[in-house]
Coordinates of all heavy atoms in Angstrom, one line a residue:
A22 N 90.4 104.8 119.8 CA 90.9 105.1 118.5 C 90.1 106.2 117.8 O 90.0 106.3 116.6 CB 91.0 103.9 117.7
I23 N 89.4 107.1 118.6 CA 88.5 108.0 118.0 C 89.2 109.0 117.0 O 88.6 109.4 116.0 CB 87.8 108.8 119.1 CG1 86.7 109.8 118.5 CG2 88.7 109.6 120.0 CD1 85.8 110.4 119.5
L24 N 90.4 109.3 117.3 CA 91.1 110.2 116.4 C 91.4 109.5 115.1 O 91.3 110.2 114.0 CB 92.4 110.7 117.0 CG 92.2 111.6 118.2 CD1 93.6 111.8 118.9 CD2 91.6 112.9 117.8
D25 N 91.7 108.2 115.1 CA 91.8 107.5 113.8 C 90.5 107.4 113.1 O 90.5 107.5 111.9 CB 92.3 106.0 114.1 CG 93.7 106.0 114.7 OD1 94.5 106.9 114.5 OD2 94.0 105.0 115.4
G26 N 89.4 107.2 113.8 CA 88.1 107.2 113.2 C 87.8 108.5 112.5 O 87.3 108.6 111.4
L27 N 88.1 109.6 113.1 CA 87.9 110.9 112.5 C 88.8 111.1 111.3 O 88.3 111.7 110.3 CB 88.2 112.1 113.6 CG 88.1 113.5 113.0 CD1 86.7 113.8 112.5 CD2 88.5 114.5 114.1
E28 N 90.0 110.7 111.4 CA 90.9 110.9 110.3 C 90.4 110.1 109.1 O 90.5 110.6 107.9 CB 92.4 110.4 110.6 CG 93.1 111.4 111.6 CD 93.2 112.8 111.0 OE1 93.4 113.0 109.8 OE2 93.0 113.7 111.8
E29 N 89.9 108.9 109.3 CA 89.3 108.2 108.1 C 88.1 108.9 107.5 O 88.0 109.0 106.3 CB 88.8 106.8 108.6 CG 88.3 106.0 107.4 CD 87.6 104.7 107.8 OE1 87.0 104.6 108.9 OE2 87.7 103.7 107.0
A30 N 87.3 109.5 108.3 CA 86.1 110.2 107.8 C 86.6 111.5 107.0 O 86.1 111.8 106.0 CB 85.2 110.7 109.0
L31 N 87.6 112.1 107.6 CA 88.2 113.3 106.9 C 88.8 112.9 105.5 O 88.7 113.6 104.5 CB 89.2 114.0 107.7 CG 88.7 114.7 109.0 CD1 89.8 115.1 109.9 CD2 87.8 115.9 108.6
E32 N 89.5 111.7 105.5 CA 90.1 111.2 104.3 C 89.0 110.9 103.2 O 89.2 111.2 102.0 CB 91.0 110.0 104.6 CG 91.6 109.4 103.3 CD 92.4 108.2 103.5 OE1 92.6 107.8 104.7 OE2 92.8 107.5 102.5
I33 N 88.0 110.2 103.7 CA 86.9 109.8 102.7 C 86.3 111.0 102.1 O 86.1 111.0 100.8 CB 85.9 109.0 103.5 CG1 86.4 107.6 103.9 CG2 84.6 108.8 102.6 CD1 85.6 106.9 104.9
T34 N 86.0 112.0 102.8 CA 85.4 113.2 102.2 C 86.4 114.1 101.5 O 86.0 114.7 100.5 CB 84.7 114.0 103.3 OG1 85.6 114.2 104.4 CG2 83.5 113.3 103.8
A35 N 87.7 114.1 101.9 CA 88.6 114.9 101.2 C 88.9 114.3 99.8 O 89.0 115.0 98.8 CB 90.0 115.0 101.9
R36 N 89.0 113.0 99.7 CA 89.3 112.3 98.5 C 88.0 112.3 97.5 O 88.2 112.3 96.3 CB 89.8 110.9 98.7 CG 91.1 110.8 99.3 CD 91.5 109.4 99.8 NE 91.4 108.4 98.7 CZ 91.5 107.1 98.8 NH1 91.7 106.6 100.1 NH2 91.4 106.3 97.8
S37 N 86.9 112.2 98.1 CA 85.6 112.1 97.3 C 85.0 113.4 96.9 O 84.3 113.5 95.9 CB 84.6 111.2 98.0 OG 84.1 111.8 99.2
G38 N 85.2 114.4 97.8 CA 84.5 115.7 97.6 C 83.2 115.8 98.3 O 82.5 116.8 98.2
A39 N 82.8 114.8 99.0 CA 81.5 114.8 99.7 C 81.6 115.7 101.0 O 82.7 115.8 101.5 CB 81.0 113.4 100.1
R40 N 80.6 116.3 101.4 CA 80.5 117.0 102.7 C 80.5 116.0 103.8 O 80.1 114.8 103.6 CB 79.3 117.9 102.8 CG 79.4 119.0 101.7 CD 78.2 120.0 101.8 NE 77.0 119.4 101.4 CZ 75.8 119.7 102.0 NH1 75.8 120.5 103.1 NH2 74.7 119.1 101.6
L41 N 80.9 116.4 105.0 CA 81.0 115.5 106.2 C 80.1 115.8 107.3 O 80.0 117.0 107.7 CB 82.5 115.4 106.7 CG 82.8 114.5 107.9 CD1 82.4 113.1 107.7 CD2 84.2 114.7 108.3
H42 N 79.5 114.8 107.9 CA 78.7 114.9 109.1 C 79.0 113.7 110.0 O 79.0 112.6 109.5 CB 77.2 115.0 108.8 CG 76.4 115.2 110.0 ND1 75.7 116.4 110.2 CD2 76.1 114.4 111.1 CE1 75.0 116.3 111.3 NE2 75.2 115.1 111.9
V43 N 79.3 114.0 111.3 CA 79.6 112.9 112.2 C 78.4 112.7 113.1 O 77.9 113.6 113.7 CB 80.8 113.3 113.1 CG1 81.1 112.2 114.2 CG2 82.1 113.5 112.3
Y44 N 77.9 111.4 113.0 CA 76.8 111.0 113.8 C 77.2 111.0 115.3 O 78.3 110.7 115.7 CB 76.3 109.6 113.5 CG 75.3 109.5 112.4 CD1 75.4 108.5 111.4 CD2 74.2 110.4 112.3 CE1 74.4 108.3 110.4 CE2 73.2 110.2 111.3 CZ 73.3 109.2 110.4 OH 72.4 109.0 109.4
H45 N 76.2 111.3 116.2 CA 76.3 111.3 117.6 C 77.7 111.4 118.1 O 78.3 110.5 118.7 CB 75.6 110.0 118.2 CG 76.0 108.7 117.5 ND1 77.2 108.3 117.2 CD2 75.2 107.7 117.1 CE1 77.2 107.1 116.7 NE2 75.9 106.7 116.6

């Protein structure tokens, strides 16, 4: 489900305005 995990991270930062970094 890695693509779902990425989409959640993208949503969190798009809605909040924070910059995004993916660990490991």
Side-chain angles (χ1 to χ4, degrees):
I23 186 172
L24 294 170
D25 294 335
L27 177 61
E28 288 304 320
E29 182 188 35
L31 291 170
E32 178 184 349
I33 290 166
T34 49
R36 290 171 57 189
S37 67
R40 297 184 288 142
L41 176 60
H42 184 110
V43 176
Y44 271 140
H45 46 50

